[in-house]
Amino acid sequence: MLKNYFTISIRNILKRKLFAGINLLGMTAGITACLLIALYIIDEFSYDRFHAHADRIYQVGLHNKFGERDLRSASICPPLADAMMAEIPEVESTFRMHRWGKPVFRYGEKAFTEDKVLFTESNFFEFFSFRLISGNPKTALKEPNSVVLTEKTARKYFGDENPLEKLILMGEGEDKVPYKVTGVVADCPGNSHFSFNVLLSAAGPDNYFKVNAWLNSGVYTYFLLRKNTSVSDVEKKFENIVAKYVASELQQFLGNSPDQFRKAGGVYRYYATKITDIHLKSTSQIDLEPGGSLTYIYVFGGIGIFIVAIACINFMNISTAQSAGRAKEVGLRKTLGSLRSQMIGQFLAESMLYSLVAVALAVVLCYFLLSAFNMLSGKELSMINLLDVKFISGAGADIVDCRFAGRSYPAFYLTSFSVVEVLKGKVTPGFKSKGIRSTLVVFQFAISIFLIIVTSVVYTQINFMQQLQLGMDKKNVLVIETGHRLGENGEAFRNALVQQTGVSKVSFTVNKFPGVYSPGVMRSARSRGDHFVGVYQADFDFQNVLKFEMKDGRYFSKIFASDSTAVVINEAAAKEFGFDKTEGQEILHSPNGTYIQAML
């Protein structure tokens, strides 16, 4: 019976080539868009789930509030991990790592500036399930001056050589430090909340993680929760750690007691985020790498549903529009003794055939569009993701269900025709279905117009952000991030650059703008209120390079010797300090520090 259904379905499709082509084109386009969106959503929800203990690994963050500045950061102090092991029995183990910066590595004549370099503890591979291609995961980072390279990085330095036990130099000049390659790890998967090229061992006498400074930051700390325990119990005991270890340093730093700090609205507490929630649900403003957004997931998911709904409605409308021709077929079949259930099965089999062909074409189309989609979405999806059995079976089942939903009405509608009415020619195209078809067409157009409006609004917003004047001129400004390595040769390098054709101005800064070099607490000379302020250091030519506007006062000048203790603040800082007129105001850099003049 099923074979007969499909045989007749193929004949009907070949008989109505234009109708079949329009249906397949619409269905294939809709399913292709839906598959690509599904790939994106599945990848977003897959972040960090490849780790063996992903259900018990948590990252520690710090929520601190000073004055009007409210900050949640995953970058915390070094000694917290040891305190957690000593004070919180629910914690099975801890792990710390620190982002190193962009050091230079050398092997022979090859030298490269590496980014994504992590300074880690020896239990890195016990916490995270990154695949180690060569080396021992338990000992690879145990010894001082050990280094683990990703497969891509190892190939860059050593080519086809075996990198194990080879020495690679880190640093420049007389500060070069030899590191022994003790492992090669597979390149980081795209669905990890952090990635790396080089792992450096933290073992040794200069271990930064052993610095007992509770108000420092820069360390990313994770802990493994014991089985059958609650993370809420861990967070409650964080309060005891703050009271026992942090309060005294905080009081010395702020000049206020913990009670005064809290009464003034201050907050200093640690919190935990499950590793599988970091990418989409993190509440931190400072993470190892930018995360995703649940809002985008919901928006893209809704768009995918709308696209499939439009395709289903289109299929349904075209099918019912062909009702006159198919009515004669139904009438003859009923005359020859066919049961209505059999004819419904026939129409549903035809719909299933359309769906299977459309899904197959959509998968092929996705293959060719995948590289362009990766560029658009910033993903690294491949055919492995596309041909995954779970993905194909799940997406295929959902799409076929939608196709059946779209075809069910025509199937029941067409088989409901009376034999007598059909044979007498009383069934006309669109008869009985006009109201439903009109409703579906209106709904289809409403969805289409809604998507067009949303697309237009998003495009306009993106264009607005790209064209928005930020109070500075960032066009044609190039950034060399490793300028600090010039040392005493900085001025000579500046002069050499200025002499190059096309270079008009050169400025040295401590950090890339916008960025924070050394955040700290500041206070107005006329007020006792503390303000947590981000500091950015730049030279005399910085304004000439970025050409930002001065609201009040002037920028630094070599003419004035007093500018050695001068600062330029932005409008937000002036408002927080309560300055009506900014030039000449004084700011205390710390409770025991010196006053510096402010200009805006």
Side-chain angles (χ1 to χ4, degrees), residues 312-452:
C312 288
I313 292 170
N314 191 61
F315 187 93
M316 189 183 302
N317 286 337
I318 293 176
S319 298
T320 52
Q322 298 286 325
S323 58
R326 302 304 295 268
K328 294 178 181 179
E329 176 188 340
V330 171
L332 289 174
R333 285 178 175 275
K334 284 188 174 182
T335 303
L336 296 174
S338 294
L339 299 176
R340 187 185 182 192
S341 60
Q342 293 174 325
M343 287 184 288
I344 290 174
Q346 169 63 49
F347 284 114
L348 293 178
E350 187 174 324
S351 174
M352 185 174 181
L353 185 60
Y354 272 112
S355 300
L356 293 175
V357 173
V359 169
L361 292 175
V363 171
V364 174
L365 195 56
C366 282
Y367 171 76
F368 290 104
L369 294 175
L370 205 54
S371 58
F373 181 74
N374 283 337
M375 292 182 62
L376 180 66
S377 63
K379 295 290 184 183
E380 298 178 1
L381 303 172
S382 64
M383 279 302 294
I384 296 176
N385 304 93
L386 192 62
L387 298 179
D388 181 76
V389 175
K390 292 181 180 179
F391 170 74
I392 291 293
S393 58
D398 290 341
I399 291 169
V400 169
D401 287 343
C402 291
R403 304 315 319 161
F404 271 117
R407 188 59 172 165
S408 59
Y409 170 70
F412 286 98
Y413 165 68
L414 293 173
T415 56
S416 66
F417 292 149
S418 168
V419 178
V420 176
E421 290 180 344
V422 171
L423 295 180
K424 287 182 178 181
K426 293 184 178 180
V427 176
T428 58
F431 183 71
K432 294 184 180 180
S433 66
K434 186 176 180 180
I436 295 178
R437 284 174 55 203
S438 298
T439 302
L440 292 175
V441 168
V442 170
F443 180 67
Q444 186 179 25
F445 271 93
I447 294 176
S448 301
I449 293 170
F450 171 75
L451 292 178
I452 291 172

Side-chain angles (χ1 to χ4, degrees), residues 522 533-539 542-543 548-557 563 565-571 573-574 577 582 587 596-600:
M522 292 188 179
V533 181
V535 179
Y536 182 87
Q537 295 183 347
D539 63 9
F542 186 61
Q543 184 192 11
F548 55 82
E549 301 173 5
M550 296 295 293
K551 180 88 172 183
D552 184 23
R554 60 176 177 80
Y555 190 68
F556 306 131
S557 175
D563 279 3
T565 58
V567 295
V568 174
I569 62 176
N570 60 18
E571 288 186 83
F577 283 117
T582 309
I587 300 172
I596 51 181
Q597 288 188 332
M599 296 175 285
L600 182 62

Side-chain angles (χ1 to χ4, degrees), residues 131-375:
R131 184 169 61 89
L132 198 65
I133 297 174
S134 56
N136 187 331
K138 294 183 178 180
T139 60
L141 294 166
K142 192 172 183 180
E143 299 297 326
N145 292 64
S146 299
V147 61
V148 173
L149 306 176
T150 62
E151 191 175 9
K152 182 180 178 181
T153 306
R155 194 181 304 114
K156 182 168 62 175
Y157 288 95
F158 302 101
D160 295 330
E161 293 182 58
N162 181 7
L164 289 185
E165 304 300 319
K166 296 277 196 321
L167 290 180
I168 187 170
L169 300 178
M170 185 187 78
E172 296 179 274
E174 298 179 356
D175 297 328
K176 295 188 186 74
V177 179
Y179 277 82
K180 183 172 69 174
V181 179
T182 54
V184 176
V185 64
D187 295 333
C188 297
N191 59 345
S192 172
H193 78 278
F194 72 92
S195 58
F196 58 88
N197 293 324
V198 179
L199 298 175
L200 299 175
S201 171
D206 297 328
N207 189 341
Y208 173 70
F209 299 140
K210 299 303 179 183
V211 176
N212 191 32
W214 285 89
L215 297 186
N216 277 18
S217 61
V219 175
Y220 295 87
T221 302
Y222 299 78
F223 68 90
L224 184 65
L225 187 70
R226 292 190 185 276
K227 294 181 179 179
N228 302 319
T229 58
S230 173
V231 69
S232 60
D233 294 334
V234 175
E235 291 185 309
K236 289 177 183 177
K237 293 176 182 179
F238 279 152
E239 298 176 7
N240 299 330
I241 290 179
V242 171
K244 184 175 181 180
Y245 298 100
V246 185
S248 58
E249 284 194 27
L250 197 61
Q251 181 174 351
Q252 183 180 359
F253 179 68
L254 296 175
N256 294 329
S257 67
D259 290 338
Q260 291 174 321
F261 173 66
R262 283 190 294 269
K263 288 179 180 178
V267 176
Y268 198 98
R269 70 176 187 87
Y270 297 108
Y271 60 91
T273 304
K274 196 172 185 179
I275 191 172
T276 52
D277 292 338
I278 292 176
H279 180 66
L280 289 177
K281 301 178 182 178
S282 173
T283 58
S284 300
Q285 295 154 300
I286 302 177
D287 281 311
L288 270 165
E289 293 181 12
S293 170
L294 273 176
T295 302
Y296 290 161
I297 298 297
Y298 295 141
V299 170
F300 293 150
I303 290 173
I305 293 172
F306 284 154
I307 290 174
V308 172
I310 290 173
C312 288
I313 292 170
N314 191 61
F315 187 93
M316 189 183 302
N317 286 337
I318 293 176
S319 298
T320 52
Q322 298 286 325
S323 58
R326 302 304 295 268
K328 294 178 181 179
E329 176 188 340
V330 171
L332 289 174
R333 285 178 175 275
K334 284 188 174 182
T335 303
L336 296 174
S338 294
L339 299 176
R340 187 185 182 192
S341 60
Q342 293 174 325
M343 287 184 288
I344 290 174
Q346 169 63 49
F347 284 114
L348 293 178
E350 187 174 324
S351 174
M352 185 174 181
L353 185 60
Y354 272 112
S355 300
L356 293 175
V357 173
V359 169
L361 292 175
V363 171
V364 174
L365 195 56
C366 282
Y367 171 76
F368 290 104
L369 294 175
L370 205 54
S371 58
F373 181 74
N374 283 337
M375 292 182 62

Side-chain angles (χ1 to χ4, degrees), residues 11 16 28 54 76 85 96 108 119 123 129 159 178 228 233 261 307 328 389 433 439 504 592:
R11 289 176 183 173
R16 299 175 176 84
T28 302
I76 63 173
M85 291 298 296
R96 290 170 289 194
F119 185 71
N123 58 343
S129 302
N228 302 319
D233 294 334
F261 173 66
I307 290 174
K328 294 178 181 179
V389 175
S433 66
T439 302
S504 59
N592 299 317

